[in-house]
Short mmCIF file of all heavy atoms in Angstrom, two decimals:
data_model
loop_
_atom_site.label_atom_id
_atom_site.label_comp_id
_atom_site.label_asym_id
_atom_site.label_seq_id
_atom_site.Cartn_x
_atom_site.Cartn_y
_atom_site.Cartn_z
N MET A 189 0.80 -1.20 -0.01
CA MET A 189 0.01 0.00 0.02
C MET A 189 0.85 1.26 -0.01
O MET A 189 0.41 2.30 -0.42
CB MET A 189 -0.91 0.04 1.22
CG MET A 189 -1.91 -1.05 1.28
SD MET A 189 -3.27 -0.73 0.13
CE MET A 189 -4.35 -2.05 0.59
N SER A 190 2.10 1.18 0.45
CA SER A 190 2.91 2.37 0.59
C SER A 190 3.31 2.95 -0.74
O SER A 190 3.68 4.10 -0.81
CB SER A 190 4.12 2.06 1.43
OG SER A 190 4.95 1.09 0.79
N GLU A 191 3.26 2.16 -1.84
CA GLU A 191 3.71 2.71 -3.10
C GLU A 191 2.90 3.89 -3.58
O GLU A 191 3.38 4.71 -4.34
CB GLU A 191 3.77 1.62 -4.17
CG GLU A 191 2.39 1.17 -4.63
CD GLU A 191 2.51 0.10 -5.72
OE1 GLU A 191 2.59 -1.08 -5.33
OE2 GLU A 191 2.48 0.43 -6.88
N LEU A 192 1.67 4.02 -3.14
CA LEU A 192 0.85 5.15 -3.56
C LEU A 192 1.29 6.47 -2.96
O LEU A 192 1.07 7.52 -3.52
CB LEU A 192 -0.62 4.91 -3.14
CG LEU A 192 -1.43 4.05 -4.05
CD1 LEU A 192 -2.83 3.87 -3.49
CD2 LEU A 192 -1.51 4.59 -5.45
N LYS A 193 1.96 6.43 -1.85
CA LYS A 193 2.28 7.67 -1.14
C LYS A 193 3.13 8.62 -1.93
O LYS A 193 3.05 9.81 -1.79
CB LYS A 193 2.99 7.33 0.17
CG LYS A 193 2.08 6.66 1.19
CD LYS A 193 2.81 6.35 2.45
CE LYS A 193 1.88 5.65 3.44
NZ LYS A 193 2.57 5.24 4.65
N HIS A 194 3.93 8.07 -2.85
CA HIS A 194 4.85 8.93 -3.60
C HIS A 194 4.27 9.50 -4.88
O HIS A 194 4.81 10.42 -5.43
CB HIS A 194 6.14 8.15 -3.90
CG HIS A 194 6.82 7.67 -2.69
ND1 HIS A 194 7.44 8.51 -1.78
CD2 HIS A 194 6.96 6.42 -2.18
CE1 HIS A 194 7.95 7.80 -0.79
NE2 HIS A 194 7.67 6.54 -1.00
N ARG A 195 3.21 8.93 -5.38
CA ARG A 195 2.76 9.37 -6.71
C ARG A 195 1.31 9.73 -6.79
O ARG A 195 0.82 10.08 -7.87
CB ARG A 195 3.08 8.30 -7.71
CG ARG A 195 2.42 6.96 -7.46
CD ARG A 195 3.00 5.90 -8.43
NE ARG A 195 2.45 4.60 -8.15
CZ ARG A 195 1.55 3.98 -8.91
NH1 ARG A 195 1.12 4.56 -9.98
NH2 ARG A 195 1.11 2.80 -8.58
N VAL A 196 0.58 9.72 -5.73
CA VAL A 196 -0.85 10.02 -5.78
C VAL A 196 -1.15 11.26 -4.93
O VAL A 196 -0.64 11.38 -3.83
CB VAL A 196 -1.67 8.81 -5.24
CG1 VAL A 196 -3.12 9.17 -5.10
CG2 VAL A 196 -1.49 7.61 -6.16
N SER A 197 -1.97 12.12 -5.53
CA SER A 197 -2.37 13.32 -4.79
C SER A 197 -3.05 12.94 -3.48
O SER A 197 -3.87 12.04 -3.42
CB SER A 197 -3.33 14.14 -5.66
OG SER A 197 -3.90 15.18 -4.90
N ARG A 198 -2.71 13.65 -2.42
CA ARG A 198 -3.26 13.37 -1.09
C ARG A 198 -4.56 14.12 -0.89
O ARG A 198 -5.15 14.06 0.20
CB ARG A 198 -2.26 13.74 -0.02
CG ARG A 198 -0.92 13.06 -0.15
CD ARG A 198 -0.97 11.57 0.05
NE ARG A 198 -1.23 11.28 1.45
CZ ARG A 198 -1.30 10.07 1.94
NH1 ARG A 198 -1.11 9.04 1.15
NH2 ARG A 198 -1.50 9.84 3.22
N THR A 199 -4.98 14.86 -1.88
CA THR A 199 -6.28 15.50 -1.84
C THR A 199 -7.11 15.07 -3.05
O THR A 199 -6.58 14.75 -4.11
CB THR A 199 -6.16 17.02 -1.84
OG1 THR A 199 -5.45 17.46 -2.98
CG2 THR A 199 -5.43 17.51 -0.57
N CYS A 200 -8.41 15.11 -2.90
CA CYS A 200 -9.33 14.71 -3.97
C CYS A 200 -9.31 15.74 -5.10
O CYS A 200 -9.52 16.92 -4.86
CB CYS A 200 -10.73 14.56 -3.40
SG CYS A 200 -11.98 14.20 -4.66
N PRO A 201 -9.06 15.31 -6.34
CA PRO A 201 -9.06 16.25 -7.48
C PRO A 201 -10.44 16.80 -7.81
O PRO A 201 -10.57 17.79 -8.52
CB PRO A 201 -8.50 15.43 -8.63
CG PRO A 201 -8.72 14.03 -8.28
CD PRO A 201 -8.71 13.95 -6.78
N GLU A 202 -11.50 16.20 -7.28
CA GLU A 202 -12.87 16.66 -7.52
C GLU A 202 -13.32 17.73 -6.52
O GLU A 202 -13.78 18.78 -6.88
CB GLU A 202 -13.82 15.47 -7.50
CG GLU A 202 -15.26 15.80 -7.77
CD GLU A 202 -15.52 16.16 -9.23
OE1 GLU A 202 -14.72 15.81 -10.08
OE2 GLU A 202 -16.54 16.83 -9.49
N CYS A 203 -13.16 17.40 -5.20
CA CYS A 203 -13.71 18.29 -4.18
C CYS A 203 -12.67 18.87 -3.25
O CYS A 203 -12.98 19.71 -2.42
CB CYS A 203 -14.79 17.53 -3.36
SG CYS A 203 -14.14 16.30 -2.22
N GLY A 204 -11.41 18.42 -3.36
CA GLY A 204 -10.33 18.99 -2.55
C GLY A 204 -10.22 18.38 -1.18
O GLY A 204 -9.35 18.75 -0.39
N SER A 205 -11.07 17.42 -0.83
CA SER A 205 -11.04 16.80 0.49
C SER A 205 -9.77 15.98 0.66
O SER A 205 -9.22 15.42 -0.31
CB SER A 205 -12.24 15.87 0.65
OG SER A 205 -12.11 15.13 1.83
N ALA A 206 -9.28 15.89 1.91
CA ALA A 206 -8.15 15.03 2.24
C ALA A 206 -8.65 13.77 2.92
O ALA A 206 -7.86 12.98 3.43
CB ALA A 206 -7.18 15.77 3.13
N ASN A 207 -9.97 13.56 2.92
CA ASN A 207 -10.56 12.40 3.58
C ASN A 207 -10.63 11.23 2.57
O ASN A 207 -11.67 10.91 2.03
CB ASN A 207 -11.98 12.77 4.07
CG ASN A 207 -12.56 11.72 5.00
OD1 ASN A 207 -11.85 10.81 5.44
ND2 ASN A 207 -13.85 11.86 5.29
N LEU A 208 -9.45 10.62 2.35
CA LEU A 208 -9.31 9.60 1.34
C LEU A 208 -9.02 8.24 1.98
O LEU A 208 -8.43 8.19 3.06
CB LEU A 208 -8.16 9.93 0.37
CG LEU A 208 -8.24 11.31 -0.32
CD1 LEU A 208 -6.99 11.50 -1.18
CD2 LEU A 208 -9.49 11.43 -1.16
N ARG A 209 -9.44 7.19 1.32
CA ARG A 209 -9.15 5.83 1.76
C ARG A 209 -8.54 5.07 0.58
O ARG A 209 -8.88 5.33 -0.57
CB ARG A 209 -10.39 5.11 2.22
CG ARG A 209 -11.10 5.79 3.41
CD ARG A 209 -10.28 5.71 4.69
NE ARG A 209 -11.00 6.22 5.83
CZ ARG A 209 -11.01 7.50 6.18
NH1 ARG A 209 -10.32 8.38 5.49
NH2 ARG A 209 -11.71 7.91 7.23
N GLN A 210 -7.67 4.12 0.87
CA GLN A 210 -7.07 3.34 -0.19
C GLN A 210 -7.09 1.87 0.16
O GLN A 210 -7.14 1.47 1.34
CB GLN A 210 -5.63 3.79 -0.45
CG GLN A 210 -4.65 3.36 0.62
CD GLN A 210 -3.22 3.75 0.25
OE1 GLN A 210 -2.89 4.90 0.15
NE2 GLN A 210 -2.38 2.75 0.06
N THR A 211 -7.10 1.05 -0.89
CA THR A 211 -7.01 -0.37 -0.77
C THR A 211 -6.43 -0.93 -2.05
O THR A 211 -6.06 -0.18 -2.96
CB THR A 211 -8.41 -1.01 -0.47
OG1 THR A 211 -8.23 -2.38 -0.11
CG2 THR A 211 -9.32 -0.93 -1.66
N ALA A 212 -6.31 -2.23 -2.15
CA ALA A 212 -5.82 -2.90 -3.36
C ALA A 212 -6.81 -4.01 -3.71
O ALA A 212 -7.46 -4.59 -2.83
CB ALA A 212 -4.44 -3.47 -3.14
N THR A 213 -6.96 -4.26 -5.01
CA THR A 213 -7.81 -5.35 -5.45
C THR A 213 -7.30 -5.91 -6.77
O THR A 213 -6.51 -5.27 -7.47
CB THR A 213 -9.28 -4.82 -5.61
OG1 THR A 213 -10.16 -5.93 -5.81
CG2 THR A 213 -9.41 -3.86 -6.79
N ALA A 214 -7.77 -7.09 -7.07
CA ALA A 214 -7.38 -7.69 -8.36
C ALA A 214 -8.03 -6.92 -9.50
O ALA A 214 -9.14 -6.43 -9.37
CB ALA A 214 -7.79 -9.17 -8.40
N SER A 215 -7.33 -6.85 -10.63
CA SER A 215 -7.86 -6.11 -11.77
C SER A 215 -8.78 -7.00 -12.63
O SER A 215 -9.31 -6.51 -13.63
CB SER A 215 -6.73 -5.56 -12.63
OG SER A 215 -5.97 -6.64 -13.17
N ALA A 216 -8.99 -8.23 -12.25
CA ALA A 216 -9.89 -9.13 -12.97
C ALA A 216 -10.46 -10.15 -12.00
O ALA A 216 -9.81 -10.54 -11.05
CB ALA A 216 -9.17 -9.81 -14.12
N GLY A 217 -11.66 -10.58 -12.30
CA GLY A 217 -12.29 -11.63 -11.52
C GLY A 217 -13.04 -12.58 -12.43
O GLY A 217 -12.94 -12.47 -13.67
N ALA A 218 -13.81 -13.47 -11.85
CA ALA A 218 -14.49 -14.50 -12.64
C ALA A 218 -15.56 -13.92 -13.55
O ALA A 218 -15.87 -14.43 -14.60
CB ALA A 218 -15.08 -15.55 -11.72
N TYR A 219 -16.20 -12.82 -13.15
CA TYR A 219 -17.36 -12.30 -13.87
C TYR A 219 -17.20 -10.90 -14.43
O TYR A 219 -18.15 -10.35 -14.95
CB TYR A 219 -18.59 -12.35 -12.95
CG TYR A 219 -18.87 -13.74 -12.46
CD1 TYR A 219 -18.57 -14.09 -11.15
CD2 TYR A 219 -19.42 -14.68 -13.31
CE1 TYR A 219 -18.81 -15.37 -10.69
CE2 TYR A 219 -19.66 -15.98 -12.87
CZ TYR A 219 -19.37 -16.31 -11.56
OH TYR A 219 -19.59 -17.59 -11.15
N GLY A 220 -16.04 -10.33 -14.33
CA GLY A 220 -15.88 -8.97 -14.80
C GLY A 220 -14.85 -8.88 -15.90
O GLY A 220 -14.23 -9.88 -16.26
N PRO A 221 -14.66 -7.70 -16.44
CA PRO A 221 -13.65 -7.53 -17.48
C PRO A 221 -12.25 -7.60 -16.90
O PRO A 221 -12.02 -7.39 -15.71
CB PRO A 221 -13.93 -6.13 -18.00
CG PRO A 221 -14.53 -5.41 -16.84
CD PRO A 221 -15.34 -6.45 -16.12
N VAL A 222 -11.29 -7.87 -17.76
CA VAL A 222 -9.88 -7.81 -17.39
C VAL A 222 -9.43 -6.36 -17.62
O VAL A 222 -9.32 -5.94 -18.77
CB VAL A 222 -9.02 -8.81 -18.23
CG1 VAL A 222 -7.56 -8.69 -17.86
CG2 VAL A 222 -9.52 -10.22 -18.05
N LEU A 223 -9.23 -5.63 -16.56
CA LEU A 223 -8.97 -4.20 -16.69
C LEU A 223 -7.51 -3.89 -17.09
O LEU A 223 -7.24 -2.83 -17.64
CB LEU A 223 -9.33 -3.49 -15.38
CG LEU A 223 -10.80 -3.58 -15.03
CD1 LEU A 223 -11.05 -2.94 -13.67
CD2 LEU A 223 -11.69 -2.94 -16.08
N LEU A 224 -6.59 -4.78 -16.76
CA LEU A 224 -5.19 -4.57 -17.10
C LEU A 224 -4.66 -5.80 -17.85
O LEU A 224 -3.78 -6.52 -17.36
CB LEU A 224 -4.35 -4.32 -15.83
CG LEU A 224 -4.68 -3.01 -15.08
CD1 LEU A 224 -3.89 -2.97 -13.76
CD2 LEU A 224 -4.37 -1.79 -15.92
N PRO A 225 -5.18 -6.05 -19.06
CA PRO A 225 -4.78 -7.25 -19.78
C PRO A 225 -3.28 -7.27 -20.11
O PRO A 225 -2.71 -6.25 -20.44
CB PRO A 225 -5.62 -7.19 -21.07
CG PRO A 225 -5.96 -5.76 -21.23
CD PRO A 225 -6.09 -5.21 -19.83
N GLY A 226 -2.68 -8.46 -19.94
CA GLY A 226 -1.28 -8.64 -20.28
C GLY A 226 -0.31 -8.12 -19.25
O GLY A 226 0.90 -8.21 -19.46
N LEU A 227 -0.79 -7.61 -18.13
CA LEU A 227 0.11 -7.01 -17.15
C LEU A 227 0.19 -7.78 -15.84
O LEU A 227 0.89 -7.37 -14.91
CB LEU A 227 -0.29 -5.56 -16.88
CG LEU A 227 -0.35 -4.63 -18.11
CD1 LEU A 227 -0.71 -3.22 -17.67
CD2 LEU A 227 0.97 -4.67 -18.87
N GLY A 228 -0.49 -8.94 -15.78
CA GLY A 228 -0.43 -9.75 -14.56
C GLY A 228 0.61 -10.82 -14.67
O GLY A 228 1.49 -10.79 -15.52
N GLY A 229 0.51 -11.78 -13.76
CA GLY A 229 1.44 -12.91 -13.80
C GLY A 229 0.85 -14.11 -14.44
O GLY A 229 -0.21 -14.04 -15.06
N PHE A 230 1.49 -15.23 -14.32
CA PHE A 230 1.06 -16.46 -14.98
C PHE A 230 -0.33 -16.90 -14.49
O PHE A 230 -1.18 -17.26 -15.31
CB PHE A 230 2.10 -17.59 -14.74
CG PHE A 230 1.71 -18.91 -15.37
CD1 PHE A 230 1.52 -18.98 -16.73
CD2 PHE A 230 1.54 -20.01 -14.59
CE1 PHE A 230 1.19 -20.19 -17.33
CE2 PHE A 230 1.19 -21.23 -15.16
CZ PHE A 230 1.01 -21.31 -16.53
N LEU A 231 -0.56 -16.87 -13.22
CA LEU A 231 -1.85 -17.35 -12.70
C LEU A 231 -2.59 -16.28 -11.91
O LEU A 231 -3.54 -16.58 -11.18
CB LEU A 231 -1.63 -18.57 -11.80
CG LEU A 231 -1.21 -19.85 -12.52
CD1 LEU A 231 -0.91 -20.95 -11.53
CD2 LEU A 231 -2.28 -20.30 -13.51
N HIS A 232 -2.20 -15.05 -12.06
CA HIS A 232 -2.91 -13.99 -11.33
C HIS A 232 -2.98 -12.72 -12.15
O HIS A 232 -2.14 -12.47 -13.03
CB HIS A 232 -2.22 -13.71 -9.99
CG HIS A 232 -0.80 -13.20 -10.13
ND1 HIS A 232 -0.53 -11.85 -10.29
CD2 HIS A 232 0.36 -13.85 -10.15
CE1 HIS A 232 0.80 -11.73 -10.41
NE2 HIS A 232 1.36 -12.92 -10.33
N SER A 233 -4.02 -11.98 -11.93
CA SER A 233 -4.19 -10.70 -12.63
C SER A 233 -3.38 -9.63 -11.95
O SER A 233 -2.97 -9.77 -10.81
CB SER A 233 -5.67 -10.30 -12.67
OG SER A 233 -6.16 -10.14 -11.36
N ALA A 234 -3.17 -8.57 -12.67
CA ALA A 234 -2.44 -7.42 -12.09
C ALA A 234 -3.27 -6.81 -10.98
O ALA A 234 -4.50 -6.94 -10.93
CB ALA A 234 -2.19 -6.37 -13.18
N GLN A 235 -2.59 -6.16 -10.05
CA GLN A 235 -3.24 -5.51 -8.95
C GLN A 235 -3.60 -4.06 -9.27
O GLN A 235 -2.84 -3.38 -9.98
CB GLN A 235 -2.35 -5.53 -7.69
CG GLN A 235 -2.27 -6.86 -7.00
CD GLN A 235 -3.56 -7.22 -6.26
OE1 GLN A 235 -4.30 -8.07 -6.67
NE2 GLN A 235 -3.84 -6.51 -5.20
N LEU A 236 -4.70 -3.62 -8.76
CA LEU A 236 -5.07 -2.21 -8.82
C LEU A 236 -5.03 -1.62 -7.45
O LEU A 236 -5.55 -2.21 -6.48
CB LEU A 236 -6.50 -2.06 -9.38
CG LEU A 236 -6.68 -2.21 -10.87
CD1 LEU A 236 -8.18 -2.26 -11.19
CD2 LEU A 236 -6.02 -1.07 -11.62
N GLN A 237 -4.42 -0.46 -7.33
CA GLN A 237 -4.50 0.32 -6.11
C GLN A 237 -5.72 1.23 -6.28
O GLN A 237 -5.86 1.85 -7.35
CB GLN A 237 -3.22 1.13 -5.90
CG GLN A 237 -1.97 0.30 -5.87
CD GLN A 237 -1.87 -0.57 -4.64
OE1 GLN A 237 -2.28 -0.16 -3.56
NE2 GLN A 237 -1.34 -1.76 -4.79
N VAL A 238 -6.58 1.31 -5.30
CA VAL A 238 -7.81 2.05 -5.41
C VAL A 238 -7.83 3.13 -4.33
O VAL A 238 -7.53 2.86 -3.18
CB VAL A 238 -9.05 1.14 -5.22
CG1 VAL A 238 -10.31 1.91 -5.49
CG2 VAL A 238 -8.96 -0.09 -6.14
N VAL A 239 -8.14 4.35 -4.75
CA VAL A 239 -8.30 5.46 -3.81
C VAL A 239 -9.71 6.03 -3.96
O VAL A 239 -10.14 6.35 -5.08
CB VAL A 239 -7.26 6.60 -4.07
CG1 VAL A 239 -7.49 7.76 -3.13
CG2 VAL A 239 -5.83 6.04 -3.96
N VAL A 240 -10.45 6.09 -2.84
CA VAL A 240 -11.78 6.66 -2.88
C VAL A 240 -11.87 7.85 -1.95
O VAL A 240 -11.27 7.85 -0.86
CB VAL A 240 -12.86 5.58 -2.55
CG1 VAL A 240 -12.71 5.08 -1.12
CG2 VAL A 240 -14.26 6.12 -2.78
N CYS A 241 -12.56 8.87 -2.40
CA CYS A 241 -12.79 10.05 -1.55
C CYS A 241 -14.00 9.76 -0.67
O CYS A 241 -15.08 9.47 -1.17
CB CYS A 241 -13.05 11.27 -2.44
SG CYS A 241 -13.50 12.75 -1.47
N ALA A 242 -13.80 9.82 0.62
CA ALA A 242 -14.86 9.53 1.57
C ALA A 242 -15.93 10.61 1.61
O ALA A 242 -16.97 10.43 2.20
CB ALA A 242 -14.30 9.28 2.95
N ASP A 243 -15.68 11.76 0.99
CA ASP A 243 -16.65 12.85 1.01
C ASP A 243 -17.50 12.89 -0.26
O ASP A 243 -18.71 12.99 -0.20
CB ASP A 243 -15.94 14.17 1.24
CG ASP A 243 -15.41 14.29 2.65
OD1 ASP A 243 -16.05 13.73 3.57
OD2 ASP A 243 -14.35 14.92 2.83
N CYS A 244 -16.87 12.83 -1.45
CA CYS A 244 -17.66 12.93 -2.65
C CYS A 244 -17.78 11.60 -3.44
O CYS A 244 -18.60 11.48 -4.32
CB CYS A 244 -17.11 14.01 -3.59
SG CYS A 244 -15.64 13.50 -4.53
N GLY A 245 -16.96 10.61 -3.07
CA GLY A 245 -17.08 9.31 -3.69
C GLY A 245 -16.22 9.11 -4.95
O GLY A 245 -16.23 8.01 -5.50
N LEU A 246 -15.54 10.14 -5.40
CA LEU A 246 -14.68 9.94 -6.56
C LEU A 246 -13.72 8.81 -6.28
O LEU A 246 -13.08 8.77 -5.23
CB LEU A 246 -13.87 11.23 -6.86
CG LEU A 246 -12.93 11.11 -8.07
CD1 LEU A 246 -13.74 11.06 -9.37
CD2 LEU A 246 -11.94 12.24 -8.10
N THR A 247 -13.63 7.88 -7.23
CA THR A 247 -12.80 6.71 -7.07
C THR A 247 -11.75 6.68 -8.18
O THR A 247 -12.09 6.79 -9.35
CB THR A 247 -13.66 5.43 -7.10
OG1 THR A 247 -14.66 5.54 -6.10
CG2 THR A 247 -12.81 4.20 -6.86
N ARG A 248 -10.50 6.53 -7.78
CA ARG A 248 -9.37 6.47 -8.75
C ARG A 248 -8.72 5.10 -8.67
O ARG A 248 -8.54 4.55 -7.59
CB ARG A 248 -8.35 7.55 -8.41
CG ARG A 248 -8.89 8.98 -8.59
CD ARG A 248 -7.89 10.03 -8.21
NE ARG A 248 -7.84 10.17 -6.74
CZ ARG A 248 -6.82 10.71 -6.10
NH1 ARG A 248 -5.76 11.14 -6.76
NH2 ARG A 248 -6.83 10.82 -4.77
N PHE A 249 -8.35 4.60 -9.83
CA PHE A 249 -7.65 3.32 -9.93
C PHE A 249 -6.26 3.54 -10.48
O PHE A 249 -6.09 4.29 -11.45
CB PHE A 249 -8.43 2.36 -10.88
CG PHE A 249 -9.79 2.02 -10.39
CD1 PHE A 249 -10.88 2.73 -10.79
CD2 PHE A 249 -9.98 0.93 -9.51
CE1 PHE A 249 -12.16 2.43 -10.37
CE2 PHE A 249 -11.25 0.61 -9.08
CZ PHE A 249 -12.33 1.35 -9.49
N TYR A 250 -5.30 2.85 -9.91
CA TYR A 250 -3.89 2.95 -10.33
C TYR A 250 -3.34 1.55 -10.50
O TYR A 250 -3.47 0.70 -9.61
CB TYR A 250 -3.05 3.70 -9.30
CG TYR A 250 -3.48 5.13 -9.10
CD1 TYR A 250 -4.45 5.44 -8.16
CD2 TYR A 250 -2.89 6.14 -9.81
CE1 TYR A 250 -4.88 6.74 -7.99
CE2 TYR A 250 -3.28 7.46 -9.63
CZ TYR A 250 -4.27 7.76 -8.72
OH TYR A 250 -4.68 9.05 -8.53
N ALA A 251 -2.69 1.31 -11.65
CA ALA A 251 -1.97 0.05 -11.83
C ALA A 251 -0.82 0.02 -10.83
O ALA A 251 -0.19 1.03 -10.59
CB ALA A 251 -1.45 -0.04 -13.24
N ASP A 252 -0.55 -1.17 -10.25
CA ASP A 252 0.54 -1.26 -9.33
C ASP A 252 1.88 -1.27 -10.04
O ASP A 252 1.95 -1.28 -11.27
CB ASP A 252 0.36 -2.46 -8.40
CG ASP A 252 0.67 -3.77 -9.05
OD1 ASP A 252 0.96 -3.80 -10.26
OD2 ASP A 252 0.63 -4.80 -8.34
N SER A 253 2.97 -1.21 -9.28
CA SER A 253 4.30 -1.05 -9.87
C SER A 253 4.68 -2.24 -10.73
O SER A 253 5.38 -2.08 -11.75
CB SER A 253 5.34 -0.81 -8.79
OG SER A 253 5.33 -1.86 -7.84
N ASN A 254 4.25 -3.44 -10.39
CA ASN A 254 4.57 -4.60 -11.21
C ASN A 254 3.91 -4.50 -12.59
O ASN A 254 4.50 -4.84 -13.61
CB ASN A 254 4.12 -5.90 -10.51
CG ASN A 254 4.96 -6.20 -9.30
OD1 ASN A 254 6.14 -5.91 -9.25
ND2 ASN A 254 4.33 -6.78 -8.29
N ALA A 255 2.67 -4.07 -12.60
CA ALA A 255 1.97 -3.88 -13.88
C ALA A 255 2.62 -2.78 -14.71
O ALA A 255 2.82 -2.95 -15.91
CB ALA A 255 0.49 -3.55 -13.62
N LEU A 256 2.99 -1.70 -14.08
CA LEU A 256 3.67 -0.62 -14.80
C LEU A 256 4.99 -1.07 -15.42
O LEU A 256 5.32 -0.64 -16.52
CB LEU A 256 3.89 0.58 -13.87
CG LEU A 256 2.65 1.31 -13.40
CD1 LEU A 256 3.06 2.44 -12.46
CD2 LEU A 256 1.84 1.85 -14.58
N ALA A 257 5.69 -1.93 -14.72
CA ALA A 257 6.97 -2.41 -15.25
C ALA A 257 6.79 -3.24 -16.50
O ALA A 257 7.67 -3.28 -17.36
CB ALA A 257 7.69 -3.22 -14.15
N LYS A 258 5.67 -3.90 -16.63
CA LYS A 258 5.41 -4.75 -17.81
C LYS A 258 4.83 -3.96 -19.00
O LYS A 258 4.84 -4.42 -20.14
CB LYS A 258 4.42 -5.87 -17.45
CG LYS A 258 5.02 -6.85 -16.49
CD LYS A 258 4.02 -7.92 -16.11
CE LYS A 258 4.66 -8.91 -15.11
NZ LYS A 258 3.72 -9.94 -14.71
N LEU A 259 4.33 -2.79 -18.72
CA LEU A 259 3.64 -2.02 -19.76
C LEU A 259 4.46 -1.71 -21.01
O LEU A 259 3.95 -1.90 -22.11
CB LEU A 259 3.13 -0.72 -19.11
CG LEU A 259 1.98 0.01 -19.77
CD1 LEU A 259 0.81 -0.89 -20.10
CD2 LEU A 259 1.53 1.15 -18.85
N PRO A 260 5.74 -1.29 -20.92
CA PRO A 260 6.47 -0.96 -22.14
C PRO A 260 6.66 -2.14 -23.08
O PRO A 260 6.78 -1.95 -24.28
CB PRO A 260 7.85 -0.49 -21.59
CG PRO A 260 7.58 -0.06 -20.19
CD PRO A 260 6.50 -0.98 -19.69
N ARG A 261 6.68 -3.37 -22.56
CA ARG A 261 6.93 -4.56 -23.40
C ARG A 261 5.64 -5.25 -23.81
O ARG A 261 5.67 -6.22 -24.57
CB ARG A 261 7.81 -5.55 -22.64
CG ARG A 261 9.20 -5.00 -22.27
CD ARG A 261 10.06 -6.02 -21.57
NE ARG A 261 9.38 -6.78 -20.52
CZ ARG A 261 9.22 -6.36 -19.25
NH1 ARG A 261 9.72 -5.19 -18.88
NH2 ARG A 261 8.57 -7.08 -18.39
N SER A 262 4.51 -4.81 -23.32
CA SER A 262 3.25 -5.50 -23.61
C SER A 262 2.75 -5.15 -25.01
O SER A 262 2.73 -4.01 -25.42
CB SER A 262 2.18 -5.09 -22.59
OG SER A 262 0.94 -5.66 -22.92
N SER A 263 2.31 -6.20 -25.73
CA SER A 263 1.72 -6.00 -27.07
C SER A 263 0.24 -5.66 -26.99
O SER A 263 -0.40 -5.43 -28.00
CB SER A 263 1.91 -7.26 -27.90
OG SER A 263 1.23 -8.35 -27.30
N ARG A 264 -0.29 -5.61 -25.75
CA ARG A 264 -1.75 -5.33 -25.60
C ARG A 264 -2.02 -3.85 -25.41
O ARG A 264 -3.17 -3.43 -25.40
CB ARG A 264 -2.30 -6.09 -24.38
CG ARG A 264 -2.04 -7.58 -24.39
CD ARG A 264 -3.00 -8.32 -25.29
NE ARG A 264 -4.39 -8.12 -25.01
CZ ARG A 264 -5.12 -8.85 -24.18
NH1 ARG A 264 -4.58 -9.86 -23.53
NH2 ARG A 264 -6.40 -8.59 -24.01
N TRP A 265 -1.00 -3.05 -25.21
CA TRP A 265 -1.18 -1.65 -24.89
C TRP A 265 -0.47 -0.77 -25.90
O TRP A 265 0.67 -1.04 -26.28
CB TRP A 265 -0.65 -1.36 -23.47
CG TRP A 265 -1.43 -2.08 -22.43
CD1 TRP A 265 -1.24 -3.38 -22.00
CD2 TRP A 265 -2.54 -1.61 -21.71
NE1 TRP A 265 -2.17 -3.70 -21.07
CE2 TRP A 265 -3.01 -2.62 -20.85
CE3 TRP A 265 -3.21 -0.37 -21.68
CZ2 TRP A 265 -4.08 -2.46 -20.01
CZ3 TRP A 265 -4.29 -0.21 -20.84
CH2 TRP A 265 -4.72 -1.25 -20.00
N PHE A 266 -1.11 0.31 -26.31
CA PHE A 266 -0.60 1.20 -27.33
C PHE A 266 -0.57 2.63 -26.83
O PHE A 266 -1.51 3.06 -26.11
CB PHE A 266 -1.48 1.12 -28.59
CG PHE A 266 -1.64 -0.29 -29.09
CD1 PHE A 266 -2.71 -1.06 -28.67
CD2 PHE A 266 -0.70 -0.84 -29.93
CE1 PHE A 266 -2.85 -2.35 -29.12
CE2 PHE A 266 -0.83 -2.13 -30.38
CZ PHE A 266 -1.91 -2.91 -29.98
N ALA A 267 0.43 3.36 -27.23
CA ALA A 267 0.50 4.79 -26.86
C ALA A 267 -0.60 5.55 -27.55
O ALA A 267 -0.96 5.27 -28.69
CB ALA A 267 1.87 5.36 -27.25
N LEU A 268 -1.15 6.54 -26.90
CA LEU A 268 -2.18 7.40 -27.49
C LEU A 268 -1.56 8.36 -28.50
O LEU A 268 -0.50 8.82 -28.36
CB LEU A 268 -2.91 8.19 -26.43
CG LEU A 268 -3.89 7.36 -25.56
CD1 LEU A 268 -4.51 8.28 -24.51
CD2 LEU A 268 -4.98 6.73 -26.37
ZN1 ZN H 51 -13.86 14.23 -3.21
#
């Protein structure tokens, strides 16, 4: 969880609140889309770090550092 401290705003970009909570979750499950295709491991999906504003509900998702490290070599992702 500490990896977010260095790169994520500590205030909500929507309402400016500092009342934020964070957690981590898998980027894919049995019944949902694969949100970070090609960036997980052999038997597991990539992790998402999730930050939610406890005041307005804005929710932000961040690929974890392992997923980011795979991104430049992935054939599933293209630069905009
Ligand atoms: Zn907010």
